[in-house]
């Protein structure tokens, strides 16, 4: 399993430089792609935020969730309802979705403290299957739009910026994702991140070292749900539509697939995982219209066999070798 | 037997002697029909190295687990620096100043040697999730300070060359040393060592004896040492407490406890008592 983000000062400066470079590259990307591709990449960014949040919970802290689609849906509906019913500007819906999901996740995390491993997986699974039905519930229909869902309007670029709506939303989402990743890396590389891994590896010793396990686990659930909710809100704005059927249990499973394929307990793994869950189903569909999920399954199994530590580990290893070579020859 | 040390303690209290750092008074622990600790009482004065001996299953680790609040005890109480431990939750024990190692190792297997020891400093900061995510200069300094202290400890323990390596790959003896480092990182006033010499050869045990005295003398840490390695215990301890079936059978200077007939009998009853042979399990 991947370690915590590395610590030496130069290594850290290089990491931030690398991140800045990636963000810069990502920022010019939409000007070379079709609007549809830009839209797809916007979703990748939203998913990456979700997967970072889920990875904090499952990869770093060792609490399995099969129900994060529920928090994604809560974030999405919070944004949609605020925009549609209250005319709240799209960017203001993000802190609202974050707050709602932080509280929802924390409250769910408290009783979940009593559950371990597969039992926790089942409890979160229950959440994941129950929520879409609740969204259809008659008495909530006034807010949720029932089975029909809610249509929202795509925001235009502000200040007369010379970019179209798709490009703007992509850039906006990129900015939010960069912010969420910076906060996430800070959290994971310091005292709290170490404590999360300690709880996963050896809870008794963690507690003996002074880690308040119950509080940390519940808070991690909250923070994880918060990340997921922000991703959900951004996803809803990008898709311009929310409906219960977009948030089936399959979405929750896809998120779990994303963090495992990308790399458990790895920050960059969230990005690789997001690319996987966005594009691999499409590719599978192109290969075989008749049995896309069979192709998807083959991809998944191949990933597990060829990259058991996740894509992040393979990329990280290759990067290390590349950088070490010139050093060794001197 | 238990009577005489108790009497001694009473006269000491009457004479107005400084309160002990740790006072265990009349605690019992039962697991179903097994009495793991039976009305156990003893004191540790600040600055002492106290050896805790007894045959397998005597209740030594159980006492550690009471001090860590892992096991509930009945009867009396444990006070540390005047604070009753019965009201202290598990995760506050380290902050109070009690650190421990585990008999069968409890390291964070996916972390490096360095990060394992760094975890020991968790209790020395109260910074929360939000502060760490925002990481203002205050937090960055705190992290740097922690890393520097740990680097010092790593040098003190001779783990420099291994600091970045994953702890899971280390031999047993090294892992025990990492646990010692992790415990020391919390800047304890009382250090609980559960069989630190297991898995070590003769020279290494010698080095450990020196290290334990150094920890007391240079870092000013009081130590409670559980060990089967009798020569080590007798060499470093200021006093020795002997248990058998959860009962205290002796409490006094090492030389006296070694010759105590009940101690000799307890060891003869379950296995060889003499010197290093007692380590065999
Ligand atoms: N969690 C537990 N559940 C049931 N019985 C226990 C538990 N912990 C300890 N015991 C029992 O309590 C008694 C004391 O065990 P303890 O581990 O304290 O002995 P010890 O003195 O540390 O022995 P050793 O030298 O073998 O480590 C033993 O009979 C043991 O089986
Ligand atoms: Mg023991």
């Amino acid at each position: 399993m991947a370690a915590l983000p590395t610590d030496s000062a130069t290594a850290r400066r290089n990491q931030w430089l690398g991140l800045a470079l990636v963000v810069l590259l990502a920022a010019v990307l939409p000007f070379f792609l079709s609007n549809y591709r830009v839209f797809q990449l916007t979703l990748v960014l939203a998913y990456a935020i979700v997967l970072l949040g889920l990875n904090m919970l499952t990869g770093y802290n060792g609490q399995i969730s099969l129900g994060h689609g529920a928090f994604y849906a809560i974030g999405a509906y919070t944004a949609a309802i605020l925009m549609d019913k209250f005319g709240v500007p799209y960017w203001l819906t993000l802190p609202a979705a974050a707050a709602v999901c932080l509280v929802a996740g924390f409250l769910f995390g408290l009783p979940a403290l009593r559950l371990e491993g597969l039992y926790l997986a089942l409890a979160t699974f229950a959440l994941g299957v129950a929520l879409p039905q609740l969204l259809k519930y008659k008495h909530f229909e006034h807010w949720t739009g029932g089975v029909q869902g809610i249509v929202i309007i795509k925001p235009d670029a502000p200040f007369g910026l010379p970019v179209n709506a798709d490009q703007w939303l992509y850039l906006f989402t990129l900015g939010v994702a960069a912010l969420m990743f910076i906060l996430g890396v800070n959290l994971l590389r310091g005292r709290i991140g170490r404590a999360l891994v300690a709880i996963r590896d050896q809870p008794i010793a963690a507690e003996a070292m002074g880690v308040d396990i119950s509080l940390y686990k519940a808070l991690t659930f909250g923070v994880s749900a918060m990340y997921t909710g922000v991703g959900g809100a951004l996803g809803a704005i990008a898709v311009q539509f929310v409906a219960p059927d977009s948030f089936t249990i399959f979405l929750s499973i896809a998120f779990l697939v994303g963090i495992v394929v990308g790399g458990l307990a790895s920050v960059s793994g969230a990005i690789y995982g997001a690319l996987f869950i966005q594009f691999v189903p499409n590719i599978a569909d192109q290969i075989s219209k008749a049995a896309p999920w069979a192709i998807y399954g083959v991809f998944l199994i191949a990933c597990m066999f060829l990259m058991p530590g996740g894509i992040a580990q393979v990329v990280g290893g290759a990067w290390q070798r590349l950088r070490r070579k010139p050093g060794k020859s001197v | 037997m238990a009577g005489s040390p108790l009497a001694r303690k009473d006269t000491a209290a009457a004479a107005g002697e400084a309160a002990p750092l740790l006072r265990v008074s009349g605690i019992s622990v039962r697991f179903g029909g097994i009495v793991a600790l039976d009305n156990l009482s003893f004191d540790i004065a600040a600055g002492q190295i106290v050896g805790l001996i007894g045959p397998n299953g005597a209740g030594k680790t159980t006492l550690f687990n009471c001090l860590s609040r892992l096991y509930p005890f009945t009867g009396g109480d444990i006070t540390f620096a005047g604070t009753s431990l019965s009201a202290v939750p598990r995760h506050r024990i380290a902050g109070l100043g009690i650190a421990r190692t585990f008999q069968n190792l409890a390291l964070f297997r996916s972390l490096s040697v360095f990060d394992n020891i760094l975890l020991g400093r968790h209790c020395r900061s109260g910074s929360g999730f939000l502060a760490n995510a925002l990481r203002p200069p205050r937090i960055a300094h705190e992290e740097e300070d922690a890393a520097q202290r740990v680097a010092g400890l790593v040098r003190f323990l001779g783990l420099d060359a291994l600091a970045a390596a994953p702890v899971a790959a280390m031999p047993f003896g090294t892992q025990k040393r990492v646990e010692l480092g992790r415990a020391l990182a919390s800047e304890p006033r009382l250090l609980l060592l559960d069989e630190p010499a297991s898995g070590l050869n003769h020279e290494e045990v010698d080095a450990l004896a020196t290290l334990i005295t150094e920890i007391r003398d240079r870092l000013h840490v009081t130590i409670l040492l559980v060990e089967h390695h009798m020569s080590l215990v007798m060499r470093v301890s200021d006093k020795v407490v002997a248990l058998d079936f959860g009962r205290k059978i002796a409490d006094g200077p090492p030389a006296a406890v070694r010759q105590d007939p009940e101690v000799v009998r307890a060891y003869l009853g379950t296995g060889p008592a003499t010197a290093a042979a007692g380590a065999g399990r």
Side-chain angles (χ1 to χ4, degrees):
Chain A
M1 204 163 277
L4 296 170
T6 46
D7 234 305
S8 93
T10 41
R12 200 178 296 156
R13 197 174 316 121
N14 286 343
Q15 273 181 350
W16 288 127
L17 274 176
L19 185 69
L21 200 72
V22 169
V23 172
L24 207 71
L25 276 176
V28 297
L29 206 58
F31 303 103
F32 300 97
L33 296 172
S34 71
N35 283 344
Y36 182 65
R37 284 268 178 261
V38 171
F39 159 76
Q40 285 182 316
L41 288 177
T42 307
L43 279 182
V44 167
L45 291 170
Y47 290 155
I49 298 171
V50 173
L51 296 188
L52 180 57
L54 181 58
N55 223 341
M56 286 177 188
L57 184 72
T58 302
Y60 285 91
N61 198 211
Q63 303 191 70
I64 298 179
S65 173
L66 283 176
H68 259 46
F71 298 115
Y72 189 87
I74 294 173
Y77 268 88
T78 304
I81 292 170
L82 286 177
M83 285 171 76
D84 182 58
K85 299 273 188 262
F86 298 93
V88 174
Y90 65 99
W91 52 273
L92 255 185
T93 66
L94 296 187
V100 169
C101 287
L102 176 68
V103 172
F106 183 78
L107 292 180
F108 188 86
L110 281 180
L113 287 173
R114 296 156 185 256
L115 304 172
E116 297 266 336
L118 291 173
Y119 293 91
L120 180 60
L122 288 194
T124 49
F125 179 78
L127 178 72
V129 282
L131 197 95
Q133 303 245 285
L134 283 180
L135 292 170
K136 292 181 192 169
Y137 185 55
K138 236 185 16 252
H139 296 284
F140 298 156
E141 218 164 73
H142 171 68
W143 300 100
T144 61
V147 189
Q148 311 293 315
I150 304 168
V151 175
I152 47 188
I153 295 156
K154 190 183 289 183
D156 277 320
F159 322 120
L161 287 176
V163 294
N164 66 34
D166 286 311
Q167 288 166 339
W168 166 246
L169 194 59
Y170 170 86
L171 292 172
F172 174 74
T173 307
L174 180 65
V176 175
L179 179 71
M180 298 299 278
F181 269 73
I182 289 170
L183 295 176
V185 168
N186 280 345
L187 188 70
L188 291 171
R189 78 177 204 227
R191 173 173 184 269
I192 305 288
R194 284 193 300 274
L196 297 190
V197 174
I199 292 170
R200 179 196 72 196
D201 280 5
Q202 186 51 262
I204 290 174
E207 209 166 22
M209 297 306 124
V211 179
D212 186 345
I213 295 190
S214 309
L215 180 71
Y216 272 54
K217 279 178 133 181
L219 275 174
T220 305
F221 225 112
V223 170
S224 173
M226 179 185 86
Y227 269 74
T228 307
V230 169
L234 287 166
I237 299 167
V239 177
Q240 298 172 256
F241 176 60
V242 294
D245 291 337
S246 329
F247 308 115
T248 60
I249 190 68
F250 195 81
L251 183 66
S252 300
I253 309 279
F255 290 154
L256 201 67
V257 167
I259 59 166
V260 177
V261 168
L264 280 170
S266 127
V267 170
S268 62
I271 297 165
Y272 305 128
L275 288 165
F276 184 95
I277 60 179
Q278 173 63 32
F279 289 114
V280 169
N282 286 356
I283 296 170
D285 204 45
Q286 276 162 18
I287 294 175
S288 163
K289 285 264 182 290
W293 290 113
I295 305 288
Y296 180 88
V298 170
F299 266 112
L300 200 53
I301 290 170
C303 271
M304 295 293 92
F305 271 105
L306 299 175
M307 302 180 282
I311 301 172
Q313 202 182 58
V314 173
V315 174
W319 181 238
Q320 292 266 309
R321 274 194 298 281
L322 262 178
R323 284 198 354 193
R324 227 172 269 157
K325 260 195 189 128
K328 262 188 188 154
S329 61
V330 172
Chain B
M1 266 196 52
S4 58
L6 276 176
R8 191 162 49 89
K9 194 175 68 190
D10 288 344
T11 50
E17 197 176 273
L21 181 64
L22 184 81
R23 166 162 288 175
V24 177
S25 47
I27 65 163
S28 299
V29 174
R30 282 182 193 79
F31 298 106
I34 300 170
V35 182
L37 287 181
D38 186 1
N39 194 22
L40 176 68
S41 301
F42 71 97
D43 284 355
I44 300 178
Q48 272 187 327
I49 298 178
V50 174
L52 182 61
I53 61 168
N56 293 133
K60 306 178 294 294
T61 301
T62 301
L63 174 69
F64 274 26
N65 287 339
C66 289
L67 291 167
S68 304
R69 304 284 292 120
L70 282 171
Y71 292 170
F73 51 83
T74 55
D77 198 7
I78 303 175
T79 53
F80 176 74
T83 310
S84 163
L85 292 192
S86 51
V88 179
R90 280 177 204 170
H91 66 269
R92 294 231 184 279
I93 293 291
L96 272 186
I98 302 179
R100 72 174 291 183
T101 65
F102 293 83
Q103 181 173 349
N104 297 314
L105 294 175
L107 287 165
F108 309 116
R109 295 188 60 81
S110 61
L111 296 182
S112 66
V113 167
F114 194 90
D115 281 345
N116 263 279
I117 300 178
L118 204 46
L119 234 309
R121 291 211 59 78
H122 188 88
C123 64
R124 291 291 158 236
S125 159
S127 65
F129 275 61
L130 185 62
N132 274 269
L134 298 173
R135 205 177 165 101
R138 173 176 65 86
I139 300 287
H141 284 151
E142 194 181 276
E143 283 278 322
E144 268 163 40
D145 175 61
Q148 254 164 33
R149 283 167 190 266
V150 168
L153 258 180
V154 164
R155 247 175 282 123
F156 177 69
L157 295 172
L159 292 167
D160 322 40
L162 310 171
V167 77
M170 300 291 149
F172 189 77
T174 309
Q175 295 198 2
K176 282 242 141 183
R177 194 165 270 243
V178 176
E179 274 213 345
L180 173 60
R182 184 177 68 180
L184 287 175
S186 68
E187 295 176 43
R189 294 171 68 189
L190 175 64
L191 175 63
L192 312 174
L193 298 175
D194 202 345
E195 304 197 11
S198 63
L200 300 187
N201 65 29
H202 257 293
E203 291 97 79
E204 288 168 333
V205 172
D206 269 350
L208 180 68
T210 316
L211 183 64
I212 289 174
T213 4
E214 256 182 54
I215 290 170
R216 192 261 309 268
D217 297 339
R218 281 179 44 191
L219 307 179
H220 309 292
V221 179
T222 307
I223 295 171
L224 178 59
L225 168 69
V226 165
E227 210 15 276
H228 284 290
H229 210 292
M230 224 40 81
S231 64
L232 172 65
V233 177
M234 296 304 164
R235 186 169 142 198
V236 301
S237 302
D238 300 307
K239 98 167 178 175
V240 174
V241 175
L243 299 183
D244 191 25
F245 293 111
R247 244 170 8 97
K248 184 166 85 173
I249 54 173
D251 180 343
V257 171
R258 196 212 308 255
Q259 269 144 36
D260 188 293
E262 263 213 79
V263 174
V264 174
R265 196 174 328 127
Y267 274 93
L268 286 178
T270 55
T274 45
R281 287 196 301 126

